Amino acid sequence: MTAKTPRRPFLTAFLAINVMFGTIFAGMAAGAALGLEEPVAEPTAEATIEAEAPETERESRSVARAARLNADGSTTIDWDNGLRDESDPNFTSFQNLSFTVSKTTNLTYEIVNVTWEGGLPTSESEFAFDYLQVMQCWDDGSGTADPRRCQFGMGTNGASLVGQNASTRNLSEGEDLLQEYGGDFQLPPDAGNPFLRQFQVPFQTPSGDSTFDVRQYFDASITNELIAARIEQDGTGAAPFEIQTSLEAPHLGCGGTISGGGIRGCFLVIVPRGQYSLDGSAFYDGPTPRVSGSPLSATAWSNRVEFPLEFQSVKSGCPIGAAEERTVGNEIVAAAFNSWQAAMCKKKTVFGFSQIGDSEARRQIISDLDGSARFAVISNPLTAEEATESTILYAPLVQSAIVVAYNIEYDVRGESELLPLNGRPVTDLVLNQRLMAKLLTQSYQNDVAGGSSQDYLSTNPSNIAQDPEFLDLNPEFMEFQNNAGPTGILEPIGNADAFRQLWAWIVADADAAAFLDGTADDWGMVVNKYYRDLNIPDDAALDSLPKADLSTYLAPGAGQAYGTFELRPYVSDMHDAAVRTRRADPGTKIFWDQTRNPSAFVSSGAQNPGSRFIMGITDITTAERLKLPMARLVNGADAAVEPTENSITTAISNFGESAIPGVTTFNSSIDVAGAYPLATVAYAAVSVCDATIDQLENYNTLLSFAKGEGQSLGAERGDLPEGYVPLTASQKESLGSMIRAINSEITSPVCAEHAVNTTIDSGLFPEVPTSVAPTDVLTEATQNQLSGDYPDDPNPALKYSLLSALFFGAPFMVGGRLLVRNAKAING
């Protein structure tokens, strides 16, 4: 007995602790049952700080920035904050400048507007003096931007219009009294001339690498730098700036995770250039009458204004290694799915989305191949032949639109009344069906290799800006200079229902259909002969944008000829079309570069600021994200309509019914004045019997989220991105019916594939149509509509009750016998 006595104090303490925790969890269970909120621990992250600067230093920098947060969420910083050097010869040019950036927090890959006022006007026709240079730099945690960490020096659009070194990272020794020449800034000795001293601002990456060959990380096709932005006559100006995350620019790392778990921030840096070069000489004193020197050189850099940028994390937040439920679909839903995807991680399911063409998505959900997705987002349902022996449910998921986005700037003749608008963006453009037919069939001379010498194009204008039909709809372009014109229209490669809809809208117009058949327009323009054989007006299944003219042209001095795919190359998808339109970079590769080994055709870069003229086929969500203006398109009522929530809703309300109840079909000839002609609906399609029960449960989780939280417009994860139109009440009800039908199959299966006993007579199951609308058709039993949280954590009251029972009961179950023996021993 004496050997057991020391256990009594331990047992007493053990019991007391368990009773305490049991009481706590019992109380929490009671609170949950009464509807009290469960406290949630919100994750915290230091946005960009890796090594904090001393408090006094941080305060001085804050004063130096003197940022003002405006009511619309934008941020303004004045150049002269009382700390500038008044002896700087450029002080009078900069002292009244004020800059505003439309958004500096919660950033993803997007466009922000940079505006300014109080400046002196830029020199006419080129950028000799008084202009701005803008770039993005990564933040090392010091709280201020460093020129070695900035993406600048590889842009080409405007390089020929600025002074020596003003578009580069190069440094001319001795030109800047504040600049260090040597150390990090001195290039390695030239092998051919070891005594040659050359200097440049290197580029440093967040990983610690440093190089003078920045092409390892970015080039003209990637960089977002603005070599030159114009200050208008009234001292104001504006420029869209492309914010890049670590996904677009890994060498900047913006939005990526840093040591300690924070999110890397970056800077938007504006360097004003006045009328004096780095050595203090006036712009007109140099070899060329322009301000010279790199903006990264110390004197120019000291005049910068920097806006700290805070990013959303680029990480999805989904558990690493978690099982992924595969889904596929068209590009129309991609932006919405990417937003929903991250928010869905809290539902304990990780959804993978593969962007593929509609026809491939339709094939995949009924494929016999293992690993095929059974959930697809498509714009047109499967035909009865395609859906044979498959039970497919449909419901609308998103409403959107196909658009023609553009980036065009006024470039008018000197005598025009519109001359004050030169360099500013055009904000209104009208296109009809026949103009689109001309663009998509390479019927302008400039869209064909050697087109000006091709007989079959001899009666056609060189480009759309010279087309009388275009000028009739857009009379302002009559004032443009003769050399102003687009590089065709950017066309995505691949197959998509969106492109089928585009052709359907075009051929629904009698004039456009006649043109495609070979009839000349009113001014004698004819379709490119290589497209007549395609018989486009009679091909209702055409769902691509073919490039049929494969003519080639051998330019003087070139080692080989180029063709359509060098002159007018495809873009990878509609997103790429919008990005290239924003950058004014058509990707044309017709410049023969003999310095390459081997020699090859290369791109001449983006169009110069002040003379941009580019259009692209994209979706409204991407155009809105990149702040691209969109053309007004002529509909069946001969009305030019812009894509808006109202015009998209009006069009979709006039769609026709398909063979599947509840699934509408595009109306190519809507004659309602307020209807946008390329509005579209993307449908969720689920092959119910081909999917497993686990997959169906996961699909319902996704569909329930999309029906509820996923229909709220916004910029946060889980929101419906700007540009989409939320579903109507009737569309939500259709989606709800689909959810209930799937839940019925989960709880009371009727598909033979889901039967537990595979020997059960199949006649016991009701016959199911091969292609069905989202109604409760699978079974009458268990028609409980799912909530937006299905399936999720158990009821918290139940959860805490179980924990309370565990703490109360465990010690007695584990130590009960021991306690009984002790009691007997004590009582003798």
Side-chain angles (χ1 to χ4, degrees):
M1 183 181 75
T2 57
K4 297 178 182 178
T5 303
R7 294 186 181 182
R8 288 202 302 270
F10 166 78
L11 290 171
T12 302
F14 179 65
L15 275 173
I17 292 171
N18 277 273
V19 169
M20 177 184 70
F21 278 105
T23 304
I24 292 173
F25 284 116
M28 294 177 72
L34 293 172
L36 300 179
E37 291 188 2
E38 178 184 1
V40 178
E42 294 291 343
T44 59
E46 293 296 328
T48 59
I49 302 301
E50 290 175 326
E52 284 201 355
E55 188 67 29
T56 55
E57 195 174 346
R58 290 202 307 274
E59 288 176 354
S60 68
R61 288 179 186 142
S62 177
V63 172
R65 285 200 188 105
R68 301 192 302 276
L69 183 62
N70 303 313
D72 62 357
S74 63
T75 302
T76 298
I77 298 178
D78 298 328
W79 181 84
D80 185 12
N81 49 25
L83 303 176
R84 300 292 186 180
D85 181 4
E86 296 186 19
S87 66
D88 188 317
N90 283 311
F91 182 84
T92 55
S93 290
F94 304 156
Q95 62 179 335
N96 296 318
L97 271 170
S98 180
F99 304 97
T100 298
V101 175
S102 61
K103 183 182 178 185
T104 59
T105 60
N106 199 33
L107 293 165
T108 60
Y109 174 71
E110 59 187 286
I111 295 294
V112 298
N113 286 324
V114 183
T115 57
W116 51 89
E117 61 183 10
L120 299 181
T122 303
S123 55
E124 292 185 10
S125 74
E126 59 181 32
F127 297 92
F129 55 83
D130 288 321
Y131 61 92
L132 308 173
Q133 300 185 283
V134 190
M135 66 199 75
Q136 186 173 336
C137 314
W138 63 271
D139 182 9
D140 66 344
S142 65
T144 189
D146 187 311
R148 292 168 294 186
R149 299 177 184 122
C150 297
Q151 183 168 263
F152 187 88
M154 287 302 293
T156 57
N157 53 333
S160 62
L161 304 177
V162 298
Q164 182 180 8
N165 287 341
S167 63
T168 72
R169 306 179 76 90
N170 297 334
L171 304 172
S172 295
E173 186 174 11
E175 69 175 345
D176 187 348
L177 295 179
L178 300 181
Q179 176 62 43
E180 174 187 352
Y181 296 98
D184 289 347
F185 300 94
Q186 184 168 359
L187 275 71
D190 189 295
N193 185 357
F195 300 103
L196 179 64
R197 287 166 53 87
Q198 300 180 83
F199 306 95
Q200 193 179 90
V201 178
F203 178 72
Q204 296 177 351
T205 68
S207 62
D209 295 331
S210 181
T211 182
F212 290 108
D213 184 12
V214 299
R215 289 174 297 181
Q216 297 179 44
Y217 300 105
F218 60 93
D219 57 22
S221 66
I222 296 173
T223 185
N224 57 357
E225 67 195 77
L226 300 182
I227 292 174
R230 183 171 295 277
I231 302 174
E232 304 295 345
Q233 290 296 315
D234 61 358
T236 67
F241 186 79
E242 177 187 340
I243 298 293
Q244 295 182 347
T245 72
S246 62
L247 300 179
E248 296 78 33
H251 49 278
L252 295 178
C254 310
T257 303
I258 60 177
S259 58
I263 302 171
R264 183 177 301 287
C266 283
F267 294 98
L268 186 155
V269 176
I270 304 171
V271 180
R273 308 306 298 269
Q275 300 182 16
Y276 293 86
S277 298
L278 303 177
D279 60 2
S281 63
F283 74 93
Y284 46 77
D285 287 338
T288 59
R290 298 171 182 166
V291 168
S292 64
S294 172
L296 305 181
S297 191
T299 292
W301 189 251
S302 68
N303 287 320
R304 74 191 182 279
V305 170
E306 55 188 42
F307 287 81
L309 304 176
E310 297 178 11
F311 288 77
Q312 294 182 13
S313 174
V314 298
K315 293 178 63 177
S316 68
C318 298
I320 297 175
E324 183 176 275
E325 190 65 71
R326 184 162 181 256
T327 62
V328 297
N330 61 30
E331 190 174 357
I332 297 299
V333 77
F337 205 101
N338 287 341
S339 176
W340 296 339
Q341 198 172 33
M344 288 302 297
C345 291
K346 67 180 181 181
K347 304 296 181 185
K348 310 298 187 296
T349 304
V350 180
F351 289 93
F353 178 76
S354 299
Q355 179 183 304
I356 61 177
D358 295 77
S359 56
E360 175 59 28
R362 282 188 285 270
R363 285 192 293 269
Q364 186 160 145
I365 62 172
I366 58 172
S367 171
D368 293 332
L369 296 176
D370 291 340
S372 296
R374 304 306 177 190
F375 182 109
V377 183
I378 51 182
S379 293
N380 291 327
L382 280 74
T383 64
E385 293 77 14
E386 292 172 328
T388 300
E389 299 182 359
S390 296
T391 303
I392 302 174
L393 293 177
Y394 299 89
L397 201 61
V398 294
Q399 299 184 106
S400 185
I402 312 304
V403 300
V404 177
Y406 61 92
N407 183 2
I408 303 175
E409 294 167 330
Y410 283 95
D411 187 14
V412 302
R413 296 185 295 271
E415 68 276 10
S416 172
E417 294 182 356
L418 301 177
L419 188 62
L421 296 177
N422 262 4
R424 295 192 180 188
V426 171
T427 57
D428 186 43
L429 184 73
V430 178
L431 297 172
N432 64 16
Q433 296 91 326
R434 187 161 60 185
L435 286 172
M436 285 298 297
K438 294 173 180 179
L439 287 167
L440 296 177
T441 57
Q442 296 178 261
S443 293
Y444 294 109
Q445 293 181 9
N446 290 356
D447 294 339
V448 174
S452 60
S453 60
Q454 303 287 4
D455 291 342
Y456 55 90
L457 299 175
S458 60
T459 62
N460 294 2
S462 59
N463 57 59
I464 194 172
Q466 308 300 318
D467 187 340
E469 184 170 18
F470 175 78
L471 296 175
D472 185 50
L473 290 171
N474 304 275
E476 280 191 334
F477 285 85
M478 294 181 184
E479 305 294 313
F480 275 54
Q481 299 191 65
N482 290 333
N483 62 350
T487 49
I489 187 168
L490 300 182
E491 302 175 29
I493 196 170
N495 303 81
D497 288 349
F499 305 147
R500 182 186 300 182
Q501 182 174 340
L502 175 61
W503 284 117
W505 164 66
I506 290 172
V507 301
D509 177 72
D511 291 338
F515 177 82
L516 291 168
D517 268 338
T519 302
D521 71 5
D522 298 342
W523 301 271
M525 182 175 178
V526 295
V527 70
N528 185 319
K529 67 178 184 179
Y530 292 101
Y531 287 82
R532 286 204 300 268
D533 295 340
L534 297 182
N535 197 25
I536 294 173
D538 298 323
D539 186 1
L542 181 61
D543 62 352
S544 65
L545 305 173
K547 291 183 182 290
D549 192 331
L550 302 182
S551 301
T552 60
Y553 177 70
L554 181 60
Q560 64 189 54
Y562 65 80
T564 288
F565 297 107
E566 289 78 32
L567 179 67
R568 298 290 180 260
Y570 278 115
V571 294
S572 59
D573 54 21
M574 290 191 285
H575 175 84
D576 190 29
V579 170
R580 288 190 172 274
T581 300
R582 169 49 67 200
R583 294 177 180 172
D585 182 4
T588 299
K589 294 183 178 180
I590 59 174
F591 175 75
W592 184 252
D593 187 355
Q594 294 182 326
T595 66
R596 288 181 174 255
N597 186 20
S599 300
F601 286 110
V602 298
S603 172
S604 56
Q607 298 171 347
N608 283 332
S611 56
R612 298 183 177 106
F613 198 137
I614 189 168
M615 300 179 290
I617 297 170
T618 185
D619 61 281
I620 186 173
T621 305
T622 308
E624 290 281 9
R625 187 178 188 180
L626 298 184
K627 292 183 170 56
L628 285 165
M630 292 162 271
R632 291 189 289 140
L633 301 183
V634 175
N635 65 15
D638 203 30
V641 183
E642 63 180 322
T644 64
E645 180 174 344
N646 185 60
S647 66
I648 292 170
T649 302
T650 300
I652 292 173
S653 67
N654 283 275
F655 280 11
E657 291 293 331
S658 71
I660 301 170
V663 178
T664 59
T665 57
F666 169 65
N667 184 349
S668 60
S669 56
I670 298 174
D671 58 0
V672 178
Y676 179 72
L678 293 182
T680 187
V681 180
Y683 290 87
V686 175
S687 186
V688 178
C689 293
D690 290 331
T692 66
I693 292 296
D694 286 344
Q695 285 178 314
L696 292 178
E697 290 176 340
N698 290 336
Y699 296 159
N700 260 0
T701 301
L702 172 61
L703 293 170
S704 298
F705 184 90
K707 175 179 177 288
E709 298 171 55
Q711 290 301 310
S712 298
L713 287 171
E716 300 291 338
R717 289 182 174 182
D719 288 342
L720 194 64
E722 184 181 4
Y724 287 110
V725 175
L727 297 178
T728 64
S730 61
Q731 288 173 324
K732 286 184 177 181
E733 175 54 33
S734 180
L735 186 53
S737 295
M738 182 182 191
I739 293 168
R740 292 192 295 272
I742 292 174
N743 193 41
S744 294
E745 177 62 19
I746 293 170
T747 55
S748 302
V750 298
C751 296
E753 294 86 341
H754 301 151
V756 176
N757 183 357
T758 57
T759 62
I760 294 178
D761 184 356
S762 60
L764 296 175
F765 292 91
E767 184 176 349
V768 180
T770 59
S771 189
V772 295
T775 53
D776 310 333
V777 298
L778 295 179
T779 177
E780 295 293 332
T782 318
Q783 306 254 334
N784 297 322
Q785 184 171 355
L786 304 176
S787 70
D789 292 330
Y790 178 88
D792 210 335
D793 291 333
N795 183 287
L798 176 60
K799 177 172 62 179
Y800 294 132
S801 295
L802 291 172
L803 287 170
S804 175
L806 176 64
F807 276 99
F808 276 129
F812 295 100
M813 289 185 292
V814 175
R817 294 181 62 188
L818 180 61
L819 292 172
V820 169
R821 286 199 301 270
N822 283 341
K824 290 180 178 179
I826 293 171
N827 292 327

